[in-house]
Amino acid sequence: MDPEPSSITLSLEPADNQRLASLCGQFDEHLRQLERRLHVEISNRGNQFQIAGNDGAPRLAGEVLQELYDATRDAPLTPERVHLHLQQAGLDVLDDKDACQQGDLVIHTRRCTVKARGIHQPDYIRNILELDINFGIGPAGTGKTYLAVACAVQAMEREQVRRLVLVRPAVEAGERRGFLPGDLSQKVDPYLRPLYGALYEML
């Protein structure tokens, strides 16, 4: 049975243009951030906000908007502050569970958002989020390493883990690099470059 769509109208008082600009963010980036996390659509004119979504999502988004607007009294909002507010409210966990149920999986890192594509990547990400050990098998360029690193970075930023361990097989896996001169780290680094590249991009 499909969830029931609903919408609410929220009026934020007092109508302070500077605080409203801080709440919305540059190019409405804070509103888009809330839309992605809470699966709602937000539109506004001045201090009047229209929030649409399924079931209780609009009401929840309205409460979050009110709390964030209250927070603008003390300091301007940033995407990091919005993220921390959602995390402290436990909404990041809800977002992960909703994503697992809907199949529309999105990984959020500090510098980018990674969305699962195709028919196999959602299953791969879902397994990483739910299981302790996973084996990703497939041809080069299908996102195995990139998605795994994205999940690891998201877990570290949410303080679900304290350390990331980068490992590679002790034997070649199709690279055919031959003999590599130098010490142990110089021999291993070429095999870790895909991991380093993904980490630098996300952090």
Side-chain angles (χ1 to χ4, degrees):
M1 187 175 179
D2 293 334
E4 288 291 326
S6 61
S7 66
I8 64 168
T9 300
L10 176 67
S11 179
L12 297 176
E13 301 291 345
D16 183 319
N17 288 336
Q18 188 171 354
R19 288 176 60 189
L20 287 167
S22 175
L23 173 67
C24 295
Q26 188 175 21
F27 305 116
D28 291 339
E29 63 177 334
H30 300 158
L31 299 184
R32 303 292 85 82
Q33 191 174 354
L34 292 176
E35 287 179 335
R36 289 193 302 269
R37 298 290 181 85
L38 303 178
H39 309 296
V40 295
E41 292 182 6
I42 304 173
S43 58
N44 75 298
R45 177 169 292 182
N47 68 329
Q48 301 291 322
F49 287 77
Q50 185 78 23
I51 309 171
N54 292 326
D55 294 334
R59 179 190 56 79
L60 180 61
E63 294 174 0
V64 172
L65 270 176
Q66 183 65 62
E67 292 171 5
L68 289 172
Y69 189 64
D70 293 340
T72 60
R73 282 196 301 256
D74 305 321
L77 285 181
T78 63
E80 289 74 20
R81 285 190 69 194
V82 175
H83 169 78
L84 285 174
H85 183 88
L86 290 168
Q87 190 176 28
Q88 290 167 357
L91 298 177
D92 274 348
V93 177
L94 284 176
D95 185 60
D96 280 347
K97 289 181 179 177
D98 289 344
C100 285
Q101 292 169 358
Q102 296 176 12
D104 184 17
L105 295 181
V106 178
I107 302 298
H108 301 281
T109 67
R110 188 181 310 166
R111 297 187 60 182
C112 67
T113 299
V114 181
K115 184 174 181 179
R117 300 179 182 276
I119 59 174
H120 297 300
Q121 286 190 1
D123 290 335
Y124 182 52
I125 293 178
R126 191 177 297 109
N127 287 337
I128 292 175
L129 294 175
E130 295 177 353
L131 305 174
D132 291 333
I133 298 177
N134 291 277
F135 293 89
I137 301 172
T142 53
K144 301 184 299 298
T145 298
Y146 193 82
L147 292 175
V149 171
C151 291
V153 170
Q154 176 182 260
M156 173 163 275
E157 289 181 348
R158 294 181 179 182
E159 297 184 356
Q160 296 169 338
V161 298
R162 289 185 295 176
R163 179 178 298 175
L164 302 183
V165 181
L166 306 183
V167 296
R168 293 286 290 186
V171 297
E172 290 182 331
E175 294 93 345
R176 291 185 173 81
R177 296 186 188 276
F179 175 77
L180 295 174
D183 59 20
L184 182 61
S185 65
Q186 290 173 312
K187 293 178 187 293
V188 172
D189 278 351
Y191 296 97
L192 293 176
R193 274 195 197 120
L195 298 172
Y196 291 150
L199 283 172
Y200 287 139
E201 184 176 331
M202 296 171 197
L203 294 175

